[in-house]
């Protein structure tokens, strides 16, 4: 009401909206949102071997790194002011089984990478997915019985996986599996094992999206995946349902919630932040990254500018932080002004 009156009183020519836009210094003064390196979480891919740096073809500029190279990469991110990284393993085909038992191996690739990163950089946050897809010969996030991804049996494995990762030094357990009840179960398991300070960032509103394609190439799960993930990930047609998912995860003990994918789901980010006011993160996923890179490679878009504009859009929608493969690039751009 108040605002409508203001607009009437301030009609042209008294009001000229362009005055504040005229110079860079006023534009800076009236900017409603800012982007800083603190906003970023950098997801990175690890692979077996030594001195390995394997480009991911569908994600130009992203390499899978062997454990010996990961700590240096994380060191660069830390220097740029990025507070946390998320580690994803490319698991060798021979280690994938229907029971995803490699997920519980304390010496699996992700655990080795977490130990290496925390040893070199104890003061950077390390996140790990809690989900079985890197280890499951079916490519699904949960155990498959017949042709269905079963919920309650999966929870037992996820709980053990979260504890194994916490033992390796993981600071933030990030359940990305979309099983029902997983946040409460994982919280109980972590507390029971003495990890009451390990945080949970729940992939609360995670949609069954085709924008994850390049990620599945990067972790090598694309070939393994039988069918799709529609029986557990959300239907892109729904938005109220995202609020129910978030409410449940907060009740179950999530410290932070996440919406995924990002750019096509800014409405969800906005509703979640407005409705709950909890730390809300957004995953700028692999397909979104690939789109900008591909268009830029054609000379059709100015990469640096569309990147920063996209990241600002997340802040404007209400995100407290952004998981993005472009975290290091963006932090460098912020630093260079
Ligand atoms: C797996 C997982 C996925 C992503 C993060 N964790 C893919 C999926 O659910 O199939 C997607 C990330 C991206 O596309 O960048 N649980």
């Amino acid at each position: 009401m108040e605002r409508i009156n203001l607009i009437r009183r301030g009609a042209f020519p008294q009001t000229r909206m362009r005055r504040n836009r005229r110079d860079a210094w006023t534009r800076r003064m009236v900017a409603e949102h800012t982007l800083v390196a603190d906003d970023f979480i950098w997801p990175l891919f690890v692979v077996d071997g030594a001195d390995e740096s394997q480009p991911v073809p569908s994600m130009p500029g992203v390499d899978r790194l062997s454990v010996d190279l990961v700590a240096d990469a994380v060191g660069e991110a830390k220097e740029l002011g990025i507070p946390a990284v998320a580690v994803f393993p490319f698991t060798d085909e021979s280690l994938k089984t229907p029971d995803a038992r490699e997920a519980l191996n304390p010496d699996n690739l992700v655990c080795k990478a977490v130990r290496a990163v925390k040893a070199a950089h104890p003061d950077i946050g390390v996140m790990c997915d809690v989900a079985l897809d890197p280890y499951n010969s079916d490519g699904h996030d949960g155990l498959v019985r017949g042709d269905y991804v079963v919920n309650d049996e999966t929870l037992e494995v996820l709980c053990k996986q979260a504890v194994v990762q916490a033992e390796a030094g993981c600071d933030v357990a990030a359940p990305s599996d979309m099983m029902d009840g997983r946040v409460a179960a994982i919280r109980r398991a972590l507390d029971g094992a003495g990890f009451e300070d390990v945080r949970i960032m729940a992939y609360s509103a995670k949609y069954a999206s085709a924008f994850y394609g390049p990620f599945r190439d990067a972790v090598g799960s694309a070939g393994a995946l039988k069918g799709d993930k529609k029986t557990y990930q959300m239907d892109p047609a729904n938005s109220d349902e995202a609020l129910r998912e978030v409410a449940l995860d907060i009740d179950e003990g999530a410290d932070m919630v996440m919406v995924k994918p990002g750019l096509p789901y800014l409405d969800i980010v906005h509703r979640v932040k407005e409705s709950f006011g909890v730390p809300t993160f957004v995953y700028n996923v692999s397909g979104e990254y690939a789109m900008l890179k591909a268009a830029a490679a054609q000379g059709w878009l100015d990469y640096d500018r569309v990147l920063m504009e996209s990241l600002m859009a997340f802040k404007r929608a209400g995100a407290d932080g952004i998981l993005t493969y472009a975290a290091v690039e963006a932090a460098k751009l912020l630093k260079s002004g």
Side-chain angles (χ1 to χ4, degrees):
M1 210 48 199
E2 186 73 24
R3 288 188 175 209
I4 289 169
N5 286 337
L6 266 175
I7 289 167
R8 286 218 184 102
R9 259 186 276 135
F12 180 83
Q14 299 94 307
T15 297
R16 288 180 183 270
M17 295 303 284
R18 293 181 55 192
R19 280 190 206 110
N20 284 345
R21 294 181 201 136
R22 190 177 183 281
D23 298 295
W25 61 267
T26 20
R27 289 198 294 272
R28 274 163 49 213
M29 280 173 70
V30 302
E32 297 174 41
H33 298 281
T34 51
L35 200 56
V36 291
D38 286 337
D39 295 324
F40 306 142
I41 297 172
W42 189 33
L44 41 92
F45 300 109
V46 290
V47 68
D48 259 323
D51 200 25
E52 277 285 335
S53 179
Q54 307 175 344
V56 179
S58 52
M59 300 180 71
V62 171
D63 297 321
R64 300 181 196 112
L65 300 176
S66 52
V67 170
D68 55 322
L69 301 184
V70 164
D72 277 355
V74 172
E76 188 190 9
K78 193 184 82 171
E79 284 308 305
L80 288 162
I82 293 169
V85 296
V87 185
F88 293 96
F90 176 92
T91 306
D92 195 81
E93 236 25 75
S94 65
L95 295 171
K96 297 186 184 184
T97 56
D99 61 0
R101 76 178 82 95
E102 180 65 6
L104 308 184
N105 173 5
D107 278 317
N108 68 19
L109 189 52
V110 87
C111 289
K112 279 193 271 193
V114 169
R115 277 195 294 269
V117 170
K118 291 304 290 189
H121 309 290
D123 49 352
I124 196 162
V126 176
M127 260 175 69
C128 294
D129 254 34
V130 184
L132 304 182
D133 54 308
Y135 312 104
N136 191 337
S137 43
D138 295 295
H140 279 290
D141 293 22
L143 300 172
V144 180
R145 299 283 179 250
D147 60 359
Y148 193 64
V149 175
V150 292
N151 196 87
D152 301 12
E153 225 179 309
T154 298
L155 293 186
E156 292 171 30
V157 190
L158 296 175
C159 287
K160 291 182 189 152
Q161 180 186 25
V163 170
V164 165
Q165 290 171 348
E167 282 164 349
C170 168
D171 303 295
V172 185
S176 68
D177 50 280
M178 288 300 277
M179 298 299 118
D180 286 320
R182 83 259 210 238
V183 172
I186 290 167
R187 184 70 273 159
R188 215 173 309 122
L190 288 170
D191 289 359
F195 294 110
E196 51 281 298
D197 288 330
V198 166
R199 279 131 269 195
I200 295 180
M201 180 187 289
Y203 286 73
S204 300
K206 176 170 177 181
Y207 287 84
S209 171
F211 284 99
Y212 307 151
F215 172 94
R216 292 179 192 166
D217 295 337
V219 296
S221 67
L225 182 60
K226 298 189 179 81
D228 57 46
K229 300 190 178 184
K230 290 179 185 170
T231 71
Y232 47 106
Q233 297 180 347
M234 283 183 56
D235 183 344
N238 298 348
S239 131
D240 287 342
E241 188 186 342
L243 300 186
R244 273 186 88 187
E245 285 282 6
V246 169
L248 286 167
D249 285 355
I250 296 168
D251 270 353
E252 291 181 28
D255 302 287
M256 302 170 252
V257 298
M258 193 209 294
V259 173
K260 176 179 176 199
L263 292 175
Y265 296 82
L266 291 178
D267 57 323
I268 310 298
V269 175
H270 190 251
R271 287 190 76 188
V272 167
K273 185 63 185 180
E274 290 269 295
S275 304
F276 300 100
V278 299
T280 301
F281 290 78
V282 60
Y283 203 137
N284 177 218
V285 301
S286 55
E288 301 169 45
Y289 174 85
M291 285 196 297
L292 299 197
K293 285 287 182 184
Q298 297 283 338
W300 294 340
L301 288 175
D302 176 333
Y303 180 76
D304 293 353
R305 291 180 57 205
V306 289
L307 170 64
M308 298 318 259
E309 186 177 332
S310 307
L311 296 175
M312 186 62 87
F314 292 122
K315 293 297 297 289
R316 200 181 60 238
D320 295 293
I322 308 153
L323 288 95
T324 177
Y325 301 98
V328 167
E329 289 174 308
K332 283 183 185 163
L333 288 169
L334 288 173
K335 207 173 167 183
S336 67

